[in-house]
Amino acid sequence: MSALATDPFATLNEEQRAAVEHRGEPLLVIAGAGTGKTMTLAARVARLVLDGADPQRLLLLTFSRRAAQEMERRAGRMLHTALGLRATQGAPVLPWAGTFHAVGARLLREYAASLGLAPQFTLLDRGDAEDLMGWVRQELELGSSGQRFPLKGTCLAIYSRVVNVRESVATVVQTMFPWVRGAEAELKRLFAAYVDAKQQQQVLDYDDLLLYWQQMMEEPALAAAIAARFDHVLVDEYQDTNLLQAAILRALKPDGRGLTVVGDDAQAIYSFRAAEVRNILDFPAQFAPAARVLALTRNYRSTQPILDASNAVIAQAAERFTKDLHSGREGVRPRLVTVADELAQARFVADDVLLQREAGLLLKQQAVLFRSGQHSAVLELELTRRGIPFVKYGGLKFLEAAHVKDLLSVLRWVQNPRGRLAGFRVATLIPGLGPASARRLMETMGSAEDPAAAMQAFKPPASAASGWREWLTAHAALAEAAWPEAMAQARRWYEPQLERLHEDAAIRRGDLAQLERIAATFSGRERFLAELTLDPPAATSDEAEEPQRDEDYLILSTMHSAKGQEWNSVHVLNAVDGCMPADLATGHAGEIEEERRLLYVAMTRAKHQLTLLVPQKFHVTQQAKYGDRHLYGSLTRFIPEALAQRHFERVAPAAAHAAERTSAPLPAIDLMARVRRAF
Ligand code: ATP
Ligand code: MG
């Protein structure tokens, strides 16, 4: 250790230090927002490495790829300080840091040979999985006999629930989808055919990654081999794991030794994805009597007035385990701002953000949070109009754009020639090749022993002859190309199609260039395709940080995507019933509780300033069948009047201005005297 080394753990408090230094027995750190759970986990990683642990043998499971990178950075910084390394010396790489799904995909690929899986399998995102479900549904002619049968999206939702909650189709239908009662037998037939189709096409969906990983861990020899690779398993945001994830962890560390999980039951916001808050609550019993439970009690993030308001919101929850948060830091009360409508809301936020920017707060230290992706549309326009740069997380995904999907499909099809969705998509991009020919191509390739040879032998219609030849040349080059050169090759073939198919090709080309830049940061095609499918960048500019690290931009994020993060100033849009809780969630007591926790998550992101906006009229886009409509909003039910009075500053900017105009004392003039003076 060099003479420059200092103790990077000096700032930890006693409780945090106990969590960092704990060895052996399973450890649960359960504590409220901003108490340093993630910090402690990073410090623990650094401490373990300092004590001789091999970073290759640490498995770190986080909520997003971004969170994994952040953890790597934090742990790296601590190691640097501890070892007195220079900034230019590389930080330790944690090759096994990522989401459950991404790690699952890697392990499944490694062990594919033992599992009867094709190692070149590709992943379906939610949209692809729905399409495949729809295709199978059609093949089986379900719903075509004049009888009502759930749509593909509902079918996938039921399937996903069955897989993740590990319940029977009958139970899931009974409890969650009662309106499709009677269709159970056909749903089972559909799901069996869906599984067959995936196997035949060598594709896996999102849920398969956890399911197959868990199944793989039920096989003792495989479980032992995989468990032996990791000395320590550390999990952040444990409250949002589901039963499959808990089972995987148990199989990795059967007696819990070397397992560390951290989380906060008051921030459980993923039960719609079958997350099971009982995982965290039952952890001590599961590993009794060995399990050690530690609590962190001091909040380091927010001022006391922000915590008081947040505590008051969560205090109304039906049940919770973690205690009230306390920081003792002074500050101003959060604001509740009433505005006329969404436009007024957008203007207020833009003004306020600029005002704070003038006062020295970088845009990056400010965030605007909302319940669902489309809630920021008006604000995005306003920000664009005023030239305020922003980056948006969550909501409409970059990968859902047609041209991005096209380009990725090219890579996917080359990787897995049996993948029908990618194949069909690319085939119909070839000039002159229509859907009927594309279908014929898929059938021949699907049933062939060697699908690539079947592609070569395929006879396209005369209209597609030259386009087809070009594709075959491009395909040959692509199959040979190293990474990331393959990406450039794919673009070279695709761009002429883009020009032909889209009027706004120039704008879309920018996204493709962006995608190529992202591609270059991955070690290979498989890793790139898998990670991008599992944890997609949210907006075009999302991954653009690297080349423009010094640029400043405002953060826009859904509340879900804001998990684990913090900003100096936070604006929360649409704190009204109908948005918070969401319109769709008003039926079920459990769902309402989850919405309450979501608001709590949003509020506890703020360090110094928190502003909730309450538009009196706002626009909601519903599912197509209901059409759009306006709602007249009242303050969210999670902030009853008494709570608002006690913990918030009420502001009504428009009304305040109007009041100024009418009630300002008017000058008194003696008109007669003036007239007289005029003579
Ligand atoms: P969440 O529940 O929102 O995920 P968390 O418990 O993971 O929160 P962190 O994000 O780890 O909390 O920490 C919150 C903030 O407090 C961070 O800015 C972190 O650097 C700071 N912090 C944590 N512990 C300490 C400490 N002992 N001294 C000073 N600052 C600290
Ligand atoms: Mg955290």
Side-chain angles (χ1 to χ4, degrees), residues 37-38 236-237 564:
K37 295 182 295 300
T38 303
D236 198 5
E237 306 278 0

Side-chain angles (χ1 to χ4, degrees), residues 309 333-334 336 603 639 643-650:
R333 290 204 298 175
L336 262 181
M603 292 173 65
I639 304 182
L643 198 164
Q645 291 286 347
R646 179 126 193 248
H647 294 292
F648 288 85
E649 206 65 55
R650 301 295 285 262

Side-chain angles (χ1 to χ4, degrees), residues 546-574:
E546 209 51 51
Q548 359 172 314
R549 178 161 287 183
D550 295 331
E551 274 186 27
D552 195 19
Y553 45 76
L554 178 67
I555 309 289
L556 267 53
S557 173
T558 59
M559 295 177 183
H560 280 98
S561 296
K563 194 161 90 151
Q565 305 204 59
E566 60 187 18
W567 296 276
N568 263 303
S569 162
V570 169
H571 286 88
V572 177
L573 300 185
N574 297 337

Side-chain angles (χ1 to χ4, degrees), residues 256-473:
R257 288 183 69 85
L259 177 62
T260 306
V261 304
V262 312
D264 174 8
D265 61 304
Q267 294 185 67
I269 52 175
Y270 273 103
S271 73
F272 70 94
R273 277 210 208 139
E276 184 47 81
V277 71
R278 295 241 60 91
N279 280 352
I280 194 164
L281 299 176
D282 293 346
F283 186 93
Q286 210 176 80
F287 294 107
R292 179 88 187 274
V293 182
L294 294 175
L296 310 176
T297 47
R298 161 124 194 243
N299 175 291
Y300 286 91
R301 178 178 294 149
S302 313
T303 62
Q304 195 58 44
I306 291 177
L307 292 179
D308 288 341
S310 309
N311 287 335
V313 164
I314 201 69
Q316 305 164 86
E319 54 172 345
R320 73 173 171 143
F321 180 90
T322 40
K323 305 279 180 294
D324 273 4
L325 295 170
H326 186 80
S327 78
R329 287 164 67 188
E330 285 176 17
V332 292
R333 290 204 298 175
R335 292 178 300 171
L336 262 181
V337 180
T338 306
V339 286
D341 54 19
E342 282 185 283
L343 186 58
Q345 169 172 262
R347 289 186 177 153
F348 181 90
V349 171
D351 283 345
D352 213 34
V353 162
L354 287 180
L355 208 65
Q356 303 201 38
R357 177 71 193 76
E358 285 306 304
L361 199 58
L362 288 176
L363 295 176
K364 268 185 183 172
Q365 291 161 353
Q366 308 187 43
V368 183
L369 307 182
F370 32 86
R371 174 67 184 81
S372 104
Q374 68 267 28
H375 287 170
S376 65
V378 179
L379 177 64
E380 287 174 46
L381 276 178
E382 185 66 17
L383 294 172
T384 310
R385 199 176 66 76
R386 298 207 201 175
I388 304 174
F390 64 90
V391 165
K392 182 173 169 182
Y393 295 101
L396 185 70
K397 299 282 194 281
F398 179 46
L399 299 195
E400 281 161 20
H403 52 294
V404 174
K405 262 193 129 140
D406 287 347
L407 188 57
L408 291 176
S409 295
V410 173
L411 295 170
R412 284 202 182 107
W413 197 26
V414 173
Q415 182 183 328
N416 173 16
R418 285 188 206 277
R420 202 173 167 121
L421 291 170
F424 187 80
R425 190 172 185 108
V426 177
T428 47
L429 288 171
I430 297 170
L433 205 92
S437 308
R439 216 163 288 130
R440 187 161 56 83
L441 174 63
M442 293 303 109
E443 313 245 285
T444 28
M445 286 178 67
S447 54
E449 193 65 24
D450 178 354
M455 184 197 280
Q456 296 289 337
F458 179 71
K459 296 270 172 294
S463 59
S466 78
W468 181 249
R469 263 197 312 277
E470 276 169 27
W471 164 252
L472 287 184
T473 315

Side-chain angles (χ1 to χ4, degrees), residues 574-583 586 614 618 631-639:
N574 297 337
V576 289
D577 259 24
C579 278
M580 200 72 251
D583 223 11
T586 42
V614 188
F618 67 92
L631 287 183
Y632 289 88
S634 53
L635 179 58
T636 166
R637 72 187 68 176
F638 303 136
I639 304 182

Side-chain angles (χ1 to χ4, degrees), residues 50-236:
L50 279 177
D51 291 351
D54 177 354
Q56 306 264 355
R57 299 177 55 80
L58 298 183
L59 175 58
L60 187 59
L61 296 160
T62 56
F63 159 68
S64 65
R65 190 175 60 224
R66 211 157 19 114
Q69 287 165 345
E70 174 64 17
M71 193 80 90
E72 205 166 40
R73 206 179 53 80
R74 282 200 204 183
R77 221 171 33 205
M78 288 184 222
L79 280 172
H80 263 107
T81 319
L83 299 171
L85 299 178
R86 282 190 302 277
T88 46
Q89 289 174 289
V93 180
L94 299 169
W96 290 98
T99 61
F100 271 92
H101 289 89
V103 168
R106 281 178 63 193
L107 287 172
L108 288 171
R109 210 179 293 286
E110 269 194 41
Y111 292 91
S114 325
L115 305 169
L117 277 175
Q120 74 274 25
F121 70 78
T122 41
L123 296 175
L124 301 178
D125 63 25
R126 286 271 162 194
D128 291 341
E130 257 185 36
D131 288 347
L132 183 62
M133 184 68 86
W135 177 77
V136 177
R137 181 182 179 279
Q138 206 176 358
E139 291 277 294
L140 295 180
E141 298 184 346
L142 294 168
S144 58
S145 60
Q147 267 190 326
R148 209 165 62 99
F149 194 77
L151 297 175
K152 60 183 182 181
T154 311
C155 293
L156 187 69
I158 299 173
Y159 173 83
S160 179
R161 186 96 203 156
V162 167
V163 168
N164 282 297
V165 186
R166 307 167 89 189
E167 280 177 348
S168 69
V169 174
T171 314
V172 170
V173 166
Q174 189 79 25
T175 52
M176 305 281 303
F177 300 87
W179 63 93
V180 305
R181 236 176 260 159
E184 289 91 337
E186 284 176 322
L187 279 171
K188 277 194 204 166
R189 200 152 65 85
L190 172 68
F191 296 163
Y194 173 67
V195 171
D196 286 347
K198 283 189 295 183
Q199 180 153 35
Q200 207 251 327
Q201 298 181 31
Q202 300 174 344
V203 291
L204 298 188
D205 68 22
Y206 202 69
D207 299 321
D208 288 337
L209 295 173
L210 294 186
L211 179 67
Y212 286 27
W213 185 6
Q214 184 264 327
Q215 294 284 323
M216 171 163 80
M217 299 304 287
E218 294 215 326
E219 179 56 45
L222 278 167
I226 293 168
R229 299 175 65 157
F230 304 111
D231 298 327
H232 296 274
V233 180
L234 305 105
V235 189
D236 198 5

